[in-house]
Structure formats: C-alpha cells, structure tokens
Amino acid sequence: MKKKQLLFALGALSMLLCATACSTGSGSSTTTKSESKSSEKDDDTSSKEDTEDKEDEDDKDKKKEADSGDDKEDKNKSSKDSQDLSMAVPGYAVGEVPPVPIPDVPDLSVMENPEAKITLNDTKKLSSVPGITITPVKVENGTIVSGNTSVQLDENGGGQYTDGNKTVQTDGDGTGQYVTDDITIQKNADGSGQYIDNKREITLQVHSDGSGQYSDGIKDVVFQIDSDGSGQYVDSANEVRVVVMSNDYTSYTAPDIRILHRTDGSGYYKNEKLDLKVENDGKGSCVIKHGSKTVTVDAKPLGKPGVFSKLKPVPAIPAIEANSVLITLDSGVLFDVDKYNIRPDAYEVLTNLADILKEADIKKFQIDGHTDSDASDEHNQVLSENRAASVKNFLAEHGVTAEISTKGYGESRPVATNETAEGKQKNRRVEIIIPAF
C-alpha cells in the first residue's frame, strides 16, 4: 500500500513539473514573438524616419539649387541689363542701327534778317555741333511760316519793277528775273534756274528733273543731287560726308562715326570713340562689339536706305524776312529712348547753347517738345512736355536768366513722315524759338 502511494505521489509530482515546464516554455515563446513584432515596428519607424530625413535633405538641396539658380539668373539678368546699356548706340535700343541722317537743302525763300541779334555767323560754333541746326524763320501767330510772293504789276502779274538797286522782270507766272546788289534769281517755267546770294556765298543750280547743285561758301557745304535721289553731301568744315548710291547703299561719315545702310537690309554703325560697332546682317541677326565684348542679338533687317530729296524749284522773289531764329535739337542726342532725363554726354551741347544765349543777352524765348507717332497720344504728349522742361531746367541751371516758356506738342506737329526711321528721327526734336528783335 505504501509502495502504491509512493508511486502515485511521484507520478503527480512528475505531471506537476511537466505542466510547469510547459507553461514556462509557452510564455517565453510569446514574449519572443512580441519582441520580434516590436523590433520590426521599430525598424519600420526608423526606416521611415530615415527616408523622411533623406527626403527633407533632398528638398533642401533642391531648394538650395533653385535659389542658387534664381540668384544666377538674377545675376545674369543684371549682367545683361548692364550689357544692354554699354552695347547700345546712344539714344537707341540694343541691336538698332541708326538711320543715315539725310540733310536737306535749306529753304532759300526764308531770308535772314541782318539786324537779328542771333545770326547764322554768331551761332556757327553751335551749328557745327552734331544734333543741332540753326534756321532763320518767320513766326506769325505762334506758327512758323515760310513761302514765296511774286511782284504783281499788271493785271496778269507781269511787268517790270525797278527801285534803286532792285530790278524785277516777271512774266506773271512766277518766272523771270530778280536782281539786287546781293541776290540774283533766274527762274524758268519748268522750275529750273539758278539762285545766287553773294553776301552769304550761296549758289543753287536746279534742273527741271530736280537734280542740281547747292553750295554754301561760308559753311563750306556742297550738295550734288541726281534725279533718282542719289548723290553726295559734303560738309568740309565738320568733316561730314553723306553718300547715296540709290541701287546699292547710303553712308554717313564723320569724325569717329560711320553708318552704312545697304539695299539688302544689312548695314552697320561704327563709333571709334566709343569702340562700338553694331552690324546687322540683313537676315535677322545683329553682332555687337564693344571693346572686348561681343554679343549677337535678333534684329530685323534695316529699312530701305534713305535718299536725297529732289531740289526744290528756284524760289521766286524772297519776300519773307526772318523775324526769329529756330534752334532744333535732335532728341536722340539729348535723351535715351523714351526718356526725358538729359544724357551726360549731351551736357556739352546744351552748355554751348547756354553760352550763346547768355552772350546774345536773349531776354525771352520758348522751348517746344515734339515726338514721333510711336506710343499713344497721351504718352507722347507727356514725354514732349517733360523733355522741353528738362532743357529749360538745364539752361536755367547754367546761368540763362531769360524768361523761358515751354510747350509740348507730342506727335501733333511732324516735320517729316512717320513711316520711315529717318522721318521719325526728324520728328523727335526739341525746338527753341528766339525772337530776332
């Protein structure tokens, strides 16, 4: 009996030990699985954080590169803007070749008043400055006028008139002869003839087709013009020459400056003083060289080269006597494109003008601003007013004490067509009217 009880007790103890061992093993296994899942979760979280950190770093790098690119673009843009200023012809946009300035024969029907306080001779040093022209004019009711009158003696306007040293022989149709001590006019019915002014050393010979020759001995200027607009202009005093070959090119030559326009749309501007050359190939491209810099920009072919205007018929009796002097300033010399601030390199021009006005003791005059037809009427009106005001302020700051009035006319008073570059250049101007008395 005791033996059976002992065996039963040992069996129970064995079962208890087995159950305990099984329970312990099962718990250890559960813990390991849980830890494994936790470890995997931690690994996933760490991997995600690493990825996010890497993405943040990549975003920062990209942003840094973008900012760097923006800075580089801004620097390039700044450099380009700076380059634009240095690579442009003064008064023109980058890539533009200025038109060849085509001079006109003066209107001989307007005679200079010898009693004028300012005469062409007095302003010779000023008129030799590029961008300034001096013209005697007659002003009536605020408008500049010029024209011809003929002596009418009989009902048909024909006859003869003699008064001291003046002799008029006319057929009544504007033809005939006019002679004084200084002036001789011979005019034919077809507009041909000759004009001689001994005092001013001016001669004009005109043919019926508009060709002929004009010369000014005092200014040392000669025009030779053919019927097709070709010919040449020579200003020996200022070393200026304009040559027109109607089927080939038009050129302008002056000290340090050369401009050429070809009929194929190509041409160039060269300024040795500025070490600048702008050359248009006529095929949509323009090469600009300034010092050691060279750039290529898109550019339209140049317009048709300008030609000389045909000579006007010999004038009839010059019955209009100038009562004022007109000083015309080229806006391209004074201002940059679409600006009204005086350009620094125009200071010399206006300083010379101020000296002339002070020396002549001018008491009162008017400054008028004019533009071409580009942009709106309102814009051009304001621009013309501001440009006239800028010239007035400059003269006043340089000692001109005269009473100065200003007026802007915008594009309303063109003196040439706005359909060509040459015409627009003439319309962009500032005019100063000086009363002769």
Side-chain angles (χ1 to χ4, degrees):
M1 184 66 179
K2 289 182 180 179
K3 186 177 182 180
K4 287 182 180 180
Q5 290 177 341
L6 180 59
L7 291 173
F8 178 78
L10 290 173
L13 180 59
S14 177
M15 291 177 65
L16 180 61
L17 290 174
C18 181
T20 302
C22 290
S23 174
T24 302
S26 175
S28 176
S29 175
T30 302
T31 300
T32 300
K33 186 174 182 181
S34 174
E35 289 176 354
S36 176
K37 289 183 178 179
S38 176
S39 177
E40 289 176 2
K41 184 176 181 180
D42 290 342
D43 288 344
D44 290 342
T45 302
S46 176
S47 176
K48 185 175 181 181
E49 290 176 354
D50 290 343
T51 301
E52 291 176 350
D53 290 342
K54 186 175 181 180
E55 289 177 351
D56 289 342
E57 290 178 2
D58 290 343
D59 290 341
K60 290 179 180 179
D61 290 341
K62 289 180 180 178
K63 187 176 185 304
K64 186 175 181 181
E65 289 177 2
D67 292 341
S68 176
D70 291 341
D71 292 341
K72 186 175 181 181
E73 183 178 346
D74 290 341
K75 289 180 180 179
N76 287 340
K77 182 178 180 182
S78 175
S79 176
K80 185 175 185 298
D81 291 341
S82 176
Q83 184 185 70
D84 287 348
L85 297 176
S86 66
M87 306 298 271
V89 177
Y92 290 84
V94 175
E96 284 189 345
V97 175
V100 173
I102 304 294
D104 294 321
V105 174
D107 184 356
L108 299 179
S109 67
V110 180
M111 302 300 297
E112 180 186 357
N113 190 317
E115 296 179 2
K117 288 187 177 181
I118 293 184
T119 67
L120 292 181
N121 284 336
D122 290 337
T123 58
K124 188 172 182 180
K125 69 176 182 179
L126 184 61
S127 62
S128 66
V129 177
I132 292 184
T133 58
I134 310 296
T135 309
V137 295
K138 184 175 180 65
V139 179
E140 292 181 354
N141 300 322
T143 302
I144 298 174
V145 298
S146 64
N148 302 322
T149 61
S150 60
V151 176
Q152 297 185 3
L153 302 176
D154 300 332
E155 291 183 0
N156 64 351
Q160 179 175 310
Y161 171 80
T162 301
D163 181 10
N165 62 349
K166 179 184 293 186
T167 299
V168 178
Q169 178 67 48
T170 177
D171 297 327
D173 56 1
T175 63
Q177 187 177 49
Y178 171 92
V179 180
T180 68
D181 287 343
D182 297 322
I183 296 176
T184 298
I185 300 175
Q186 179 66 48
K187 184 172 182 178
N188 302 320
D190 60 4
S192 63
Q194 66 176 347
Y195 174 101
I196 300 173
D197 184 335
N198 294 316
K199 184 178 181 179
R200 293 194 291 167
E201 299 181 28
I202 291 176
T203 62
L204 172 67
Q205 183 71 43
V206 181
H207 303 297
S208 59
D209 60 2
S211 64
Q213 181 172 304
Y214 167 92
S215 66
D216 184 328
I218 293 178
K219 291 187 176 181
D220 207 3
V221 168
V222 175
F223 281 87
Q224 181 67 49
I225 300 176
D226 297 329
S227 59
D228 62 355
S230 62
Q232 68 174 336
Y233 162 87
V234 180
D235 179 350
S236 299
N238 297 301
E239 300 179 42
V240 173
R241 180 186 296 270
V242 177
V243 177
V244 176
M245 302 294 288
S246 59
N247 295 321
D248 195 1
Y249 66 86
T250 298
S251 67
Y252 170 88
T253 305
D256 300 324
I257 295 178
R258 168 91 172 174
I259 306 174
L260 180 71
H261 282 217
R262 300 187 184 92
T263 54
D264 64 0
S266 64
Y268 63 81
Y269 167 93
K270 185 177 182 180
N271 189 320
E272 294 181 0
K273 187 175 182 179
L274 298 179
D275 195 11
L276 174 67
K277 184 174 183 180
V278 181
E279 186 164 10
N280 190 313
D281 63 4
K283 301 176 181 178
S285 182
C286 183
V287 177
I288 308 172
K289 296 181 180 180
H290 181 220
S292 60
K293 299 178 182 178
T294 300
V295 297
T296 300
V297 299
D298 295 335
K300 295 180 180 179
L302 303 179
K304 186 177 180 181
V307 298
F308 291 112
S309 299
K310 291 185 178 182
L311 291 174
K312 297 177 182 178
V314 172
I317 298 170
I320 292 182
E321 191 173 29
N323 63 6
S324 301
V325 172
L326 173 66
I327 301 176
T328 304
L329 307 171
D330 184 348
S331 289
V333 173
L334 301 182
F335 311 102
D336 284 324
V337 176
D338 206 31
K339 304 294 183 182
Y340 60 86
N341 297 321
I342 304 294
R343 294 176 52 240
D345 52 358
Y347 288 175
E348 182 178 359
V349 173
L350 291 181
T351 299
N352 289 338
L353 174 59
D355 292 340
I356 288 291
L357 296 174
K358 288 185 289 185
E359 290 172 7
D361 194 24
I362 302 302
K363 302 298 185 183
K364 180 179 180 180
F365 59 91
Q366 179 174 312
I367 302 177
D368 297 334
H370 303 269
T371 70
D372 59 25
S373 61
D374 289 344
S376 66
D377 292 349
E378 294 78 9
H379 178 84
N380 288 332
Q381 179 63 35
V382 173
L383 180 61
S384 66
E385 293 172 356
N386 288 337
R387 286 185 167 181
S390 292
V391 174
K392 173 185 176 179
N393 293 337
F394 185 98
L395 295 177
E397 291 170 0
H398 286 75
V400 177
T401 58
E403 179 183 344
I404 306 173
S405 59
T406 63
K407 188 172 182 61
Y409 290 98
E411 61 184 78
S412 65
R413 293 192 176 183
V415 293
T417 177
N418 277 304
E419 299 301 318
T420 66
E422 292 84 357
K424 288 181 180 180
Q425 182 186 33
K426 291 181 179 180
N427 291 332
R428 295 190 297 264
R429 68 198 189 280
V430 173
E431 293 179 340
I432 300 176
I433 301 175
I434 311 292
F437 304 106

